[in-house]
Amino acid sequence: MAKFFHFPVFCAAALAAFFVGCSDASSTSAEDVSSSSLSESQSSSSQAENPSSSSESDASSSNESWRDSCVAIINAYRESVSASSITRNTAKESCTDSQAASDLSENSAHGHFGSCGEFAQNTGPNITTAYYSNEVDIVRTYLDMMWKEKELADAGDTVYMHIGHYLNMKNSQVESVACGIAKSDDGKTAWLNVNFF
């Protein structure tokens, strides 16, 4: 089972503190990820206090349709709680890809949070690509895992580091999103950043 822990991280460049949750994904299968409890989640979220205005992800393919899927999945979740739809922020995708690549290289969730001007960020770190057929499979699995924090929120949990992914995904201040995936040189590991603007 993957280990999971939360700890506060203070961003020197920002006035606000944000929280991060991380785990080692190396021994977790896609089935484990899909059905795991939130305490075994492999993703992390962070959020700044004030919203800002508004590839290395798949060198083997020029097909970018997975990004449309990422936005569509988020919007389907948002619709389920009567939140307005958000748009795909194509202008920030290259930055999000580079940011994900830097986080992957440094193995640091939210290590470059804010560098693309995002208001909030959800992260899927150290994804073992062998468990996924493509990028759509990755984003579907991780966004589902993130949205499942709604169950904790509905049960009365108000701790951001427990429900931050869900809060970021449904936030009424968010207008757009950029989804980025970076892969290691050998293609065995990926890193997902979902930046909200």
Side-chain angles (χ1 to χ4, degrees):
M1 302 300 281
K3 294 181 181 176
F4 185 70
F5 55 94
H6 293 286
F7 54 92
V9 177
F10 296 92
C11 181
L15 298 176
F18 57 94
F19 295 93
V20 178
C22 308
S23 72
D24 177 8
S26 61
S27 63
T28 306
S29 70
E31 293 77 17
D32 292 337
V33 171
S34 298
S35 63
S36 66
S37 70
L38 293 170
S39 65
E40 296 165 354
S41 164
Q42 297 174 302
S43 55
S44 56
S45 60
S46 63
Q47 182 178 33
E49 286 184 359
N50 298 311
S52 50
S53 59
S54 52
S55 142
E56 297 165 22
S57 66
D58 190 10
S60 64
S61 171
S62 60
N63 185 351
E64 294 287 303
S65 63
W66 70 268
R67 296 184 202 264
D68 288 328
S69 295
C70 186
V71 178
I73 292 166
I74 292 168
N75 279 331
Y77 284 129
R78 289 174 65 87
E79 183 180 352
S80 74
V81 294
S82 301
S84 60
S85 294
I86 56 178
T87 60
R88 178 177 164 184
N89 192 332
T90 57
K92 295 291 188 173
E93 288 173 350
S94 177
C95 181
T96 302
D97 287 344
S98 295
Q99 183 188 64
S102 295
D103 289 350
L104 171 65
S105 174
E106 298 169 15
N107 194 28
S108 176
H110 310 296
H112 299 271
F113 174 68
S115 66
C116 297
E118 66 272 16
F119 163 65
Q121 179 184 80
N122 288 1
T123 292
N126 296 313
I127 300 164
T128 302
T129 59
Y131 300 134
Y132 303 92
S133 56
N134 53 39
E135 285 81 359
V136 174
D137 195 20
I138 291 172
V139 298
R140 183 181 297 116
T141 300
Y142 276 80
L143 292 174
D144 176 66
M145 187 171 29
M146 294 169 181
W147 189 260
K148 283 184 178 174
E149 291 176 357
K150 179 181 187 301
E151 296 169 10
L152 293 175
D154 289 348
D157 193 337
T158 58
V159 178
Y160 177 76
M161 63 187 204
H162 297 165
I163 62 173
H165 303 105
Y166 165 67
L167 295 178
N168 290 346
M169 289 173 72
K170 77 172 191 100
N171 193 310
S172 62
Q173 294 178 305
V174 170
E175 297 178 354
S176 67
V177 63
C179 302
I181 295 176
K183 293 182 180 175
S184 59
D185 291 340
D186 62 10
K188 293 180 178 180
T189 305
W191 194 286
L192 168 68
N193 276 2
V194 181
N195 285 337
F196 297 95
F197 301 87

